[in-house]
């Protein structure tokens, strides 16, 4: 009898359900050798360089680089950070040097933003005011994120009485109006630096991050890999730091990034009301408050610090929105 022709190598493949299916040779080769050197159905973006599977963070960074909202907001924030660290690069003048003879004057050569009601250069004060706003926003956000993440994470992990007590404490803090709390607290605790304002923001801001961290940890600790690590005898610290925290920190980062812009606006609001920073400190809120009575005669003195504040807050909110979209798998 004539010999039956053999099927090409790789023409029969397992279905993963205990059976097989017939494939052409080219299809079998494609199934066996997917991009990145891993087996499984081909698909774009499954693996990274050297065949390593992509993580949530690498996918998020790839999406962020392609998002124009992230690029524009990041460039604005980098510019703000640079002028906060070295304001003399673009504004070499002294923000505290004023000339009453030039009070409320408009733009002039070397002074493109004009002068305020005290004869101070609006351009110089606007540039130097970025340092205060960025310092308050960054420090308050770091303090809120660290304190809220630690307290909320521990409460979500251990549960029990600790979780119940923390939940009731956060309910009390949520009931305090932020501006009213600032008026009461900062009218008693005053200082010549930004630290009283930062301390107030941390005191009233941590409950929000705590709630987010608590929910993320409760969700993460129920995953199979955490249960497997616990069954193998992993300690509480190892479970929290190695298995739960890396997978629960994304929502905290998103909320903290958006809140940073809110804290900058809150500092300006408190300074405008007279309970935040006070002269001779240079702040956008102080300049807005000082320029308000002269809005008809010198609107430029109010326009520029207000515009700088609005652009800064908008940049951080846009950055937070872009990070949220990149880290949320449901939005992909």
């Amino acid at each position: 009898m004539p010999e039956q022709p053999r099927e090409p190598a790789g023409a029969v493949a397992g279905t993963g359900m205990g059976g097989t299916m017939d494939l052409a040779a080219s299809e079998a080769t494609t199934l066996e050798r997917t991009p990145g050197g891993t087996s499984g159905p081909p698909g774009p973006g499954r693996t990274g360089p050297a065949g390593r599977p992509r993580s949530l963070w690498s996918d998020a960074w790839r999406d962020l680089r392609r998002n124009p909202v992230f690029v524009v907001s990041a460039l604005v924030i980098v510019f703000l950070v640079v002028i906060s660290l070295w304001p003399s690069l673009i504004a070499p003048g002294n923000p505290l040097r004023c000339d009453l003879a030039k009070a409320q004057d408009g733009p002039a050569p070397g002074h493109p933003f004009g002068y305020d009601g005290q004869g101070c250069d609006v351009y110089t004060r606007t540039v130097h005011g970025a340092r205060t706003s960025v310092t308050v926003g960054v420090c308050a956000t770091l303090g809120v994120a660290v304190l809220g993440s630690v307290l909320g994470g521990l409460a979500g992990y251990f549960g029990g009485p600790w979780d119940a007590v923390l939940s009731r404490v956060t309910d009390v803090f949520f009931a305090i109006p932020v501006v009213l709390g600032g008026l009461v607290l900062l009218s008693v605790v005053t200082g010549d630096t930004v630290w009283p304002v930062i301390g107030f923001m941390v005191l009233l801001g941590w409950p929000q991050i705590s709630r987010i961290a608590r929910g993320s940890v409760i969700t993460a600790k129920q995953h199979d890999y955490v249960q497997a690590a616990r069954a193998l005898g992993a300690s509480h610290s190892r479970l929290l730091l190695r298995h739960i925290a890396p997978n629960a920190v994304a929502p905290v980062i998103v909320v903290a990034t958006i809140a940073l812009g809110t804290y900058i606006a809150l500092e300006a609001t408190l300074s405008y009301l007279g309970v935040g920073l006070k002269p001779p400190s240079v702040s956008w809120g102080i300049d807005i408050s000082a320029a308000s009575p002269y809005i008809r005669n010198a609107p430029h003195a109010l326009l520029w610090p207000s515009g700088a504040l609005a652009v800064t807050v908008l940049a951080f909110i846009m950055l937070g929105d872009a990070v949220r979209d990149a880290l949320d798998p449901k939005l992909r």
Side-chain angles (χ1 to χ4, degrees):
M1 294 179 64
E3 183 179 357
Q4 296 292 333
R6 295 182 179 179
E7 295 181 352
V12 178
T15 62
M17 300 294 291
T20 60
M21 59 182 178
D22 294 333
L23 297 173
S26 59
E27 294 174 341
T29 303
T30 302
L31 178 60
E32 183 180 359
R33 299 179 181 178
T34 55
T38 60
S39 61
R46 278 202 58 188
T47 58
R52 293 190 300 270
R54 283 202 173 114
S55 64
L56 171 66
W57 301 103
S58 61
D59 282 343
W61 175 240
R62 181 191 60 182
D63 293 341
L64 287 174
R65 288 181 299 176
R66 300 176 179 178
N67 190 345
V69 174
F70 171 78
V71 174
V72 172
S73 59
L75 290 176
V76 173
I77 292 172
V78 168
F79 174 74
L80 289 170
V81 171
V82 170
I83 66 173
S84 299
L85 296 175
W86 302 284
S88 59
L89 290 177
I90 61 175
N94 185 355
L96 301 179
R97 183 178 301 170
C98 305
D99 186 359
L100 286 175
K102 300 179 180 179
Q104 303 182 22
D105 286 355
H111 307 277
F113 294 175
Y115 299 87
D116 61 9
Q118 300 296 322
C120 303
D121 184 20
V122 176
Y123 171 76
T124 303
R125 290 187 63 86
T126 301
V127 173
H128 284 260
R131 170 178 293 181
T132 300
S133 297
V134 172
T135 300
V136 170
V138 171
C139 293
T141 301
L142 290 177
V144 166
V146 172
L147 181 60
S149 298
V150 171
L151 295 179
L154 293 177
Y157 180 78
F158 291 105
W162 172 260
D163 188 16
V165 171
L166 184 68
S167 297
R168 301 294 76 78
V169 171
T170 54
D171 290 340
V172 172
F173 276 92
F174 277 126
I176 301 176
V178 177
V179 177
L180 180 59
L183 289 173
V184 174
L185 182 62
L186 294 177
S187 61
V188 178
V189 182
T190 58
D192 298 331
T193 63
V194 299
W195 298 112
V197 179
I198 294 174
F200 160 75
M201 293 181 181
V202 173
L203 179 63
L204 292 188
W206 70 266
Q208 180 185 16
I209 298 294
S210 176
R211 286 281 180 89
I212 300 297
R214 173 183 174 273
S216 298
V217 169
I218 290 177
T219 302
K221 75 176 184 178
Q222 297 174 356
H223 291 163
D224 293 338
Y225 59 86
V226 177
Q227 301 299 329
R230 180 181 287 110
L232 292 174
S235 62
H236 293 308
S237 59
R238 182 177 180 84
L239 287 174
L240 280 169
L241 299 178
R242 295 292 300 274
H243 300 285
I244 295 179
N247 297 281
V249 72
V252 175
I253 293 177
V254 172
V255 175
T257 306
I258 297 176
L260 199 156
T262 305
Y263 294 140
I264 293 177
L266 179 59
E267 179 274 323
T269 302
L270 295 175
S271 298
Y272 178 84
L273 296 174
V275 296
L277 298 177
K278 297 177 177 61
S281 299
V282 181
S283 167
W284 291 334
I286 294 176
D287 291 348
I288 293 172
S289 177
S292 297
Y294 312 105
I295 186 173
R296 292 186 177 182
N297 298 328
H300 58 273
L302 179 66
L303 173 64
W304 293 110
S306 301
L309 175 64
V311 170
T312 301
V313 174
L314 180 61
F316 280 105
I317 292 178
M318 291 170 57
L319 180 69
D321 289 340
V323 173
R324 179 200 60 197
D325 295 343
L327 291 178
D328 191 352
K330 298 178 181 179
L331 299 178
R332 295 181 183 277

